[in-house]
Amino acid sequence: MRRSVLWLLPLIGTCYGAQSALEPAGPAASRIAYWWWVMFILAVLVFAVVLVLLLLSLLRRRGDPTPDTAPPKTAWVRLVWIAGAIVPAVVLAILLGLNIRSEVLVAVAAKAPQLEIQVIGHRWWWEVYYPAQGFATANEIHIPAETPVKLLLTSQDVIHSFWVPQLEGKRDLIPGQTTELTLQADKEGIYRGQCAEYCGLQHALMALVVRAEAPERFQAWVSQQQKAAPTPEANTLAFEGQQVFQGSACVYCHTVRGTNASSRFGPDLTHLASRSYIGAGIRANTPANLQGWIVNSQAIKPGNKMPPMYLSVPELRALMAYLGTLK
Ligand code: CUA
């Protein structure tokens, strides 16, 4: 008996961690977590009552081996109706009402959003635009803490779903439509998110992070992102790397502002070195991981749109030096 209870512990353990809706860090997520607990406790109570009734009926039959052929008594029929139909209907109606009320409260933010960010879903990464500030990034969304931020969501290909459990509920990204979501973090921190709508082979590896920062730090980040990439000094390794970058297939898919690369097919790389992750939140942005990704990202995330790059060792070394300057 004790061992069977211990088996349940890992189940409880999975409720907590980096992507837990039960560790809310924003007003909307707090409301969702609150109602999660209300529903969970109600469900446990109903389950307990059903178990008790089941146990009682089992014990009742045990001492009575002859089949019960007498017609059921009216009081029993009434009890069965109340327990089996009326109580569940009332409980579900109350929960539905509370759920609708909660949805409305979540939809209406207390303060008007201070900032608008566009998020475009791709298989399998997130394009992130700051229209008023005039720059793009990918897979990492910086927001000021304690400030409501409006996200305008759409998709380039199939339906994706934006979900950062510690901050908000899910919202679908639908091709040809724009959906909205108000994001607010109560305190500074890094909040992991994940695509929550099956969108193909690498759906599970379509992650993102939201970084909520103090207003000054957020402003400093915006100012840095607004700058174009610097041109490396002539006769340096980074300069050679820029030549490799501009002379290879990289420019057909990526943008680096300040160079001839201006395609929006893949993530904007203007400030690649300022990001913590590559491949949509799946690998730390270290030189070793980045190099592996460039050489053959198909081995890391099969089916993604980046083809293997056939570069010589000196070319790759120069390219890495250049990408390292994109802070
Ligand atoms: Cu995008 Cu699942």
Side-chain angles (χ1 to χ4, degrees):
M1 180 65 191
R2 200 182 299 156
R3 200 176 290 170
S4 63
V5 173
L6 285 176
W7 270 103
L8 293 172
L9 281 177
L11 288 179
I12 299 167
T14 54
C15 294
Y16 291 91
Q19 270 186 176
S20 173
L22 300 183
E23 284 178 54
S30 300
R31 215 147 24 217
I32 291 169
Y34 175 78
W35 287 114
W36 189 92
W37 281 110
V38 169
M39 290 193 182
F40 177 70
I41 290 164
L42 256 173
V44 167
L45 286 178
V46 170
F47 184 61
V49 169
V50 169
L51 275 190
V52 167
L53 289 177
L54 187 68
L55 213 64
L56 284 178
S57 63
L58 282 174
L59 293 174
R60 187 167 172 268
R61 295 292 298 171
R62 191 163 286 176
D64 182 15
T66 52
D68 188 3
T69 50
K73 297 191 181 75
T74 334
W76 267 105
V77 173
R78 203 177 295 142
L79 187 68
V80 165
W81 265 104
I82 292 172
I86 296 173
V87 170
V90 169
V91 169
L92 289 177
I94 291 172
L95 283 179
L96 180 67
L98 293 174
N99 185 29
I100 291 171
R101 183 174 169 270
S102 187
E103 290 266 337
V104 171
L105 285 175
V106 165
V108 181
K111 279 193 285 177
Q114 310 283 304
L115 174 71
E116 263 186 21
I117 305 172
Q118 288 175 355
V119 179
I120 303 164
H122 295 259
R123 279 180 296 177
W124 293 276
W125 60 283
W126 310 86
E127 185 179 356
V128 182
Y129 259 94
Y130 289 72
Q133 290 73 18
F135 66 87
T137 180
N139 307 316
E140 293 191 22
I141 303 175
H142 289 239
I143 60 170
E146 295 175 73
T147 310
V149 174
K150 188 196 270 186
L151 296 192
L152 299 166
L153 308 163
T154 189
S155 169
Q156 188 71 32
D157 36 48
V158 298
I159 299 176
H160 303 272
S161 188
F162 183 94
W163 193 27
V164 182
Q166 285 185 277
L167 299 181
E168 248 293 4
K170 297 170 194 171
R171 187 72 82 245
D172 280 0
L173 292 83
I174 302 165
Q177 277 189 40
T178 300
T179 47
E180 289 184 8
L181 185 70
T182 303
L183 216 57
Q184 183 175 339
D186 286 335
K187 54 183 192 305
E188 291 170 57
I190 300 169
Y191 306 100
R192 195 176 188 276
Q194 166 73 44
C195 180
E197 178 71 37
Y198 180 69
C199 55
L201 188 60
Q202 297 298 349
H203 157 70
L205 298 185
M206 186 169 168
L208 75 146
V209 285
V210 173
R211 289 176 176 275
E213 296 166 323
E216 318 80 63
R217 269 190 77 184
F218 174 73
Q219 271 315 320
W221 176 81
V222 168
S223 308
Q224 179 62 21
Q225 298 287 313
Q226 283 172 324
K227 290 179 190 155
T231 303
E233 276 178 46
N235 301 322
T236 59
L237 192 60
F239 183 79
E240 262 177 60
Q242 193 189 42
Q243 305 292 307
V244 172
F245 180 82
Q246 293 191 317
S248 72
C250 309
V251 294
Y252 298 132
C253 299
H254 296 286
T255 291
V256 172
R257 274 181 290 124
T259 73
N260 66 349
S262 60
S263 173
R264 283 179 56 184
F265 193 70
D268 186 306
L269 302 180
T270 310
H271 295 284
L272 171 68
S274 73
R275 296 182 208 145
S276 318
Y277 297 95
I278 55 166
I282 65 164
R283 288 278 193 285
N285 187 6
T286 62
N289 285 343
L290 183 59
Q291 194 162 311
W293 179 268
I294 292 167
V295 171
N296 188 8
S297 69
Q298 296 300 322
I300 300 166
K301 195 167 174 177
N304 89 82
K305 297 223 170 80
M306 177 146 161
M309 299 297 291
Y310 300 104
L311 299 168
S312 69
V313 172
E315 281 174 334
L316 188 59
R317 197 175 297 142
L319 180 62
M320 289 300 299
Y322 173 58
L323 294 179
T325 67
L326 303 178
K327 299 226 168 72

